[in-house]
């Protein structure tokens, strides 16, 4: 394992940046219609319970990676197999986010540039950052989170000043409570909140283990509030129908800003947030896959794996779907059920139960 240490404040920043990332720009929780903002708050609370599961596993094995304690819990063969599947899961998620960024940049900023070129440029930056290690990633996060929140506050103020908000678009509240709960447990819980499972690969690097639970819960709460405010803002400006039809409703909201007939066409804010958030999410996923592979196959220098992992992630992102519509459909209807559900919820809970039983026997 890399000899590095991450502080609790850096973990807080890492979780916030990771969860906001590209998901901040998507209609997260729109299945709840007028109550999409409430869906995000409920999903954040439920994800805190998931975080307690991850933290409990970490308490049983505070000094080793999940890919190592899986062998201790379910045996060498099945433990190594599950660890390998988790590495593939992290790489698949990294490739999906990379595809999201490339497609969006292609659509709104660089229509004449090949998708492969845009994705290659980003993955090269990711490879360099991962090669430098977790401490560099954490320090970069401390810088980027300030810029991200400044942009968020700027957009919020500009929308308010432009007079676009119509509160009636958020009514009625809790029109269909069943639909709200369904949206939480079929969509929003997995992306972005359940994706914090990747941070189990970072917990062993923390220099203040006792603050993990408090830091994680606080970070999830902050991102839940940001998502709730973001969706409430978007729906109050665009309405439910337009928000649900748009792939990037935040971009549409930003494009609607017009103040004093000169402050308009602020699409650049959207692009900046997209690149910062997407880069960071791909970086964290890639790092988790790299160190997991290094421990699984007893490779002493994880940095040597950075380049091959980056190339594989790039190639997967290119072949994962034939077009963007297919890519989105797979993410909503296939990946959530067959990837997110087992790797974020089922496997961690089963591992925790096994760890609990084994500790009782001892």
């Amino acid at each position: 394992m890399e000899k590095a240490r991450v502080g609790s404040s850096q973990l807080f920043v890492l979780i916030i940046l990771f969860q906001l990332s590209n998901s901040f720009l998507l209609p997260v929780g729109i299945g709840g219609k007028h109550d999409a903002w409430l869906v995000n708050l409920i999903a954040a609370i439920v994800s805190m319970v998931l975080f307690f599961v991850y933290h409990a596993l970490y308490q049983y094995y505070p000094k080793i990676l999940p890919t190592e304690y899986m062998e201790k819990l379910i045996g060498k063969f099945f433990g190594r197999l599950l660890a390998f599947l988790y590495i593939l899961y992290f790489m698949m998620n990294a490739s999906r986010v990379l595809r999201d960024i490339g497609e969006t940049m292609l659509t709104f900023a660089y229509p004449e540039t090949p998708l492969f070129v845009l994705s290659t440029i980003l993955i090269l930056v990711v490879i360099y950052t991962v090669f430098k290690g977790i401490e560099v990633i954490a320090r970069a996060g401390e810088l980027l989170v300030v810029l991200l929140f400044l942009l968020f506050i700027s957009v919020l103020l500009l929308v308010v000043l432009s007079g676009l908000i119509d509160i009636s678009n958020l009514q009625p509240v809790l029109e269909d409570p069943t639909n709200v709960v369904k949206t939480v447990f079929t969509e929003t819980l997995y992306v972005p909140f359940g994706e914090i499972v990747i941070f189990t690969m970072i917990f062993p690097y923390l220099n203040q283990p006792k603050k993990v639970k408090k830091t994680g819960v606080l970070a999830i709460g902050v991102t839940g509030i940001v998502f709730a405010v973001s969706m409430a803002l978007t729906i109050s400006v665009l309405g439910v129908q337009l928000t649900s039809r748009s792939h990037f409703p935040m971009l549409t909201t930003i494009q609607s800003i017009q103040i004093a007939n000169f402050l308009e066409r602020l699409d650049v804010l959207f692009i900046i947030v997209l690149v910062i958030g997407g880069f960071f999410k791909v970086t964290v996923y890639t790092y988790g896959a790299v160190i997991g592979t290094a421990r699984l196959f007893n490779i002493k220098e994880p940095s040597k794996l950075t380049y091959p992992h980056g190339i594989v992630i790039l190639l997967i992102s290119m072949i994962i779907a034939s077009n963007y519509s297919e890519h989105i459909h797979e993410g909503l209807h296939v990946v959530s059920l067959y990837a997110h559900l087992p790797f974020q919820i089922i496997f961690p809970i089963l591992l925790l139960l096994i760890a609990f039983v084994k500790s009782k026997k001892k």
Side-chain angles (χ1 to χ4, degrees):
M1 192 170 71
E2 180 187 355
K3 294 181 180 179
R5 283 292 175 261
V6 175
S8 57
S9 61
Q10 290 177 321
L11 176 65
F12 176 78
V13 167
L14 288 173
I15 294 176
I16 288 180
L17 266 176
F18 178 86
Q19 289 194 315
L20 292 180
S21 62
N22 62 325
S23 301
F24 174 66
L25 307 171
L26 302 174
V28 178
I30 194 57
K33 299 181 180 179
H34 303 89
D35 298 311
W37 61 274
L38 184 60
V39 168
N40 283 282
L41 290 179
I42 296 174
I45 294 172
V46 176
S47 71
M48 291 178 187
V49 178
L50 278 181
F51 187 82
F52 293 152
V53 173
Y54 307 150
H55 179 260
L57 279 169
Y58 167 65
Q59 286 186 309
Y60 280 114
Y61 303 98
K63 296 182 180 180
I64 59 176
L65 297 172
T67 48
E68 295 177 86
Y69 64 62
M70 288 174 189
E71 290 187 41
K72 297 179 179 294
L73 290 175
I74 58 178
K76 186 173 182 179
F77 175 78
F78 290 106
R80 291 176 70 87
L81 176 61
L82 183 58
F84 183 70
L85 291 176
Y86 261 100
I87 292 169
L88 293 180
Y89 173 68
F90 296 151
M91 294 178 71
M92 180 202 69
N93 284 341
S95 67
R96 294 194 63 82
V97 178
L98 184 64
R99 180 65 177 264
D100 283 337
I101 301 169
E103 291 281 5
T104 309
M105 295 286 286
L106 193 68
T107 303
F108 295 105
Y110 304 101
E112 302 299 326
T113 306
L115 176 63
F116 181 78
V117 173
L118 292 173
S119 299
T120 300
I121 293 172
L122 181 61
I123 201 65
L124 287 175
V125 180
V126 169
I127 288 172
Y128 176 78
T129 308
V130 174
F131 181 84
K132 289 297 183 179
I134 186 62
E135 290 186 351
V136 172
I137 296 173
R139 286 195 290 267
E142 289 178 306
L143 295 175
L144 294 177
V145 74
V146 175
L147 178 59
L148 202 65
F149 270 96
L150 286 176
L151 291 173
F152 174 74
I153 294 172
S154 298
V155 170
L156 181 63
L157 291 175
L158 289 172
V159 171
V160 172
L161 292 174
S162 62
L164 296 171
I165 295 177
D166 183 0
I167 299 298
S168 64
N169 288 332
L170 296 172
Q171 299 172 344
V173 178
L174 272 182
E175 180 181 17
D176 188 355
T178 304
N179 186 52
V180 169
V181 175
K182 179 183 177 183
T183 305
V184 169
F185 287 98
T186 58
E187 298 177 19
T188 316
L189 178 60
Y190 305 120
V191 179
F193 295 103
E195 292 180 300
I196 54 173
V197 68
I198 184 62
F199 285 92
T200 57
M201 303 294 291
I202 297 177
F203 287 166
Y205 296 110
L206 300 177
N207 57 13
Q208 296 173 302
K210 294 182 179 180
K211 294 185 178 181
V212 172
K213 182 187 291 186
K214 180 180 179 181
T215 302
V217 170
L218 183 60
I220 294 169
V222 170
T223 53
I225 292 172
V226 171
F227 276 121
V229 172
S230 173
M231 286 308 301
L233 180 71
T234 303
I235 293 174
S236 65
V237 173
L238 305 179
V240 173
Q241 296 300 322
L242 183 55
T243 302
S244 60
R245 289 197 303 267
S246 175
H247 286 306
F248 305 103
M250 181 56 71
L251 174 63
T252 308
T253 302
I254 293 174
Q255 290 175 333
S256 302
I257 295 174
Q258 186 176 15
I259 300 176
N261 293 322
F262 79 93
L263 190 59
E264 56 185 8
R265 301 297 299 175
L266 301 175
D267 302 20
V268 65
L269 298 180
F270 173 86
I271 299 300
I272 292 173
V273 173
L274 173 71
V275 172
I276 291 176
F279 153 76
F280 198 82
K281 196 165 191 175
V282 176
T283 299
V284 173
Y285 267 131
T286 304
Y287 181 79
V290 167
I291 60 172
T293 304
R295 295 306 301 168
L296 184 62
F297 296 102
N298 295 318
I299 298 173
K300 294 182 179 180
E301 297 183 36
S303 58
K304 292 182 178 180
L305 299 173
T306 306
Y307 294 99
H309 276 71
I311 293 171
V312 172
I313 289 170
L314 174 62
L315 295 177
I316 293 175
S317 72
M318 298 303 300
I319 65 175
I320 202 168
S322 58
N323 54 61
Y324 190 61
S325 297
E326 182 181 332
H327 171 68
I328 294 297
H329 181 269
E330 288 177 356
L332 293 175
H333 303 287
V334 179
V335 177
S336 293
L337 180 62
Y338 297 104
H340 294 326
L341 178 60
F343 286 101
Q344 294 177 8
I345 300 177
I346 297 176
F347 291 150
I349 291 176
L350 290 176
L351 289 173
L352 180 59
L353 291 175
I354 294 171
F356 175 77
V357 172
K358 286 196 171 186
S359 67
K360 284 296 182 182
K361 287 183 178 181
K362 291 181 180 181

